[in-house]
Amino acid sequence: MAAQRLAALHAAAPSAFSSTSSASHGRPAARSSTTALLPVALPRAAATLRAAPSRLLPQEAKAAGSGRSVMCMASAASAAVASGAAELKAAREDIRELLKTTHCHPILVRLGWHDSGTYDKNIKEWPQRGGANGSLRFDVELKHGANAGLVNALKLVQPIKDKYPNISYADLFQLASATAIEEAGGPKIPMTYGRIDVTGPEQCPPEGKLPDAGPSAPADHLRKVFYRMGLDDKEIVVLSGAHTLGRSRPERSGWGKPETKYTKNGPGAPGGQSWTAEWLKFDNSYFKEIKEKRDQDLLVLPTDAALFEDPTFKVYAEKYAEDQEAFFKDYAGAHAKLSNLGAKFNPPEGFTLDG
């Protein structure tokens, strides 16, 4: 059954995956005012993913032979129809198979976070308030500096969207993110589904909503960005723990080393610098490594170091470095909260997949 499911995904996968990669975690302030909220994976899709012609992404769809733009499923009026539980469960199985072959856990986590992380609690109207509404599928938002490389994540999940067209992009992005955490060994995330998609690129949020990796006052910057989303100091620290996944490439971001002993052989395209030695395993090693700073082959950004320099952040960071169970418990709740930010649900209370 799994082999049949994976074969179906391979047949629909974009041909651009011959060298799938993504941009890095962040950019220096001198180069960009924004950076990635989450670390970046550098997956290399299996060769079989290139076997068939791709379906175009939403912003690329054209009427064959006429040059006319066509209304894709993402922008149709039916986008207001929420996802169904049966299709979401089937899509989750396909995501699990995708993760096994592409090692794309970090970039899928980042995809979900960057769709929801634009939320502004001070704006009540939907979709002006930003958040988890599927807007990241549009080219105008994908081109934001903080989202560099996420077009590759969209290409990874687009065949699944094509296979299950009634699933909203907003739900698919968050399903992929939570599944990636769980499959990497992390906690079960208590997710809610039924998110409704925005219908056009004019509904995308303005650039500049996501945090910078190298601000002059890292702790203040983190609070400014995350408080705007309605998150607190504890949630800032625990969510930062997702940096246990992923790596950064200096040629794309200005951060990290070209390669280390942990990344020179992949998996996926080799190179970059990771935050942890086992950068496809979700655990509390991120906090341990930042605290010790004993390995020059592991990355520590200014916003990472701030977790042990700021006295309030440090209380939580110390706790999570010592207690993985506490980290997992708090992370699961914070991830679920982040995934719901700004979302509009149908039904209004949403629904779950696992009871």
Side-chain angles (χ1 to χ4, degrees), residues 24 31 42 248-259 270-272:
S24 74
R31 298 190 184 188
L42 299 164
S248 177
R249 288 182 176 273
E251 71 271 18
R252 296 186 180 126
S253 71
W255 295 103
K257 297 179 179 180
E259 71 172 26

Side-chain angles (χ1 to χ4, degrees), residues 124-348:
K124 302 304 180 184
E125 297 79 14
W126 184 92
Q128 292 92 330
R129 64 195 182 207
N133 58 30
S135 64
L136 188 50
R137 73 191 188 273
F138 291 112
D139 191 58
V140 63
E141 190 170 344
L142 283 169
K143 288 183 177 179
H144 290 179
N147 295 327
L150 283 178
V151 65
N152 294 313
L154 182 58
K155 288 177 179 178
L156 283 166
V157 300
Q158 186 64 43
I160 299 174
K161 170 62 174 169
D162 293 342
K163 186 176 178 181
Y164 307 106
N166 292 325
I167 294 177
S168 67
Y169 278 95
D171 268 353
L172 180 60
F173 294 167
Q174 300 308 324
L175 175 67
S177 182
T179 303
I181 292 290
E182 293 167 9
E183 292 299 299
K188 179 72 175 177
I189 312 296
M191 296 292 289
T192 301
Y193 294 99
R195 295 170 189 79
I196 295 173
D197 281 336
V198 296
T199 57
E202 70 280 358
Q203 295 172 311
C204 290
E207 188 165 7
K209 296 285 189 176
L210 300 171
D212 187 348
S216 57
D220 291 343
H221 176 71
L222 287 173
R223 288 190 171 98
K224 179 180 178 181
V225 173
F226 283 88
Y227 284 8
R228 188 208 70 228
M229 295 185 234
L231 300 173
D232 60 23
D233 287 353
K234 177 182 176 180
E235 290 161 333
I236 291 171
V237 176
V238 75
L239 289 171
S240 296
H243 280 143
T244 191
L245 300 177
R247 47 187 169 161
S248 177
R249 288 182 176 273
E251 71 271 18
R252 296 186 180 126
S253 71
W255 295 103
K257 297 179 179 180
E259 71 172 26
T260 70
K261 60 179 177 284
Y262 303 116
T263 66
K264 63 181 181 181
N265 296 318
Q273 186 175 15
S274 58
W275 285 262
T276 62
E278 296 183 85
W279 49 268
L280 288 176
K281 179 182 178 182
F282 193 94
D283 58 19
N284 68 336
S285 59
Y286 165 78
F287 296 105
K288 294 179 179 179
E289 297 296 349
I290 294 175
K291 180 179 179 179
E292 298 296 333
K293 294 183 179 179
R294 58 191 173 190
D295 192 333
Q296 294 301 308
D297 268 350
L298 296 179
L299 181 63
V300 180
L301 296 171
T303 45
D304 300 320
L307 303 184
F308 283 91
E309 295 168 354
D310 180 89
T312 304
F313 287 163
K314 184 177 180 179
V315 172
Y316 299 112
E318 292 274 7
K319 175 183 177 182
Y320 299 141
E322 297 298 324
D323 190 343
Q324 181 167 286
E325 184 177 350
F327 168 51
F328 274 27
K329 178 178 182 295
D330 292 348
Y331 180 86
H335 184 122
K337 181 177 178 178
L338 176 63
S339 77
N340 292 339
L341 294 181
K344 183 178 181 181
F345 289 90
N346 182 13

Side-chain angles (χ1 to χ4, degrees), residues 20-87:
T20 300
S21 64
S22 67
S24 74
H25 165 81
R27 302 184 175 206
R31 298 190 184 188
S32 173
S33 61
T34 57
T35 185
L37 184 60
L38 248 279
V40 174
L42 299 164
R44 181 185 61 193
T48 49
L49 285 172
R50 306 194 299 270
S54 74
R55 292 192 182 187
L56 297 178
L57 296 179
Q59 62 269 21
E60 297 169 337
K62 298 288 183 181
S66 68
R68 293 182 294 107
S69 295
V70 296
M71 182 172 65
C72 66
M73 59 191 169
S75 58
S78 61
V81 178
S83 309
E87 284 200 338

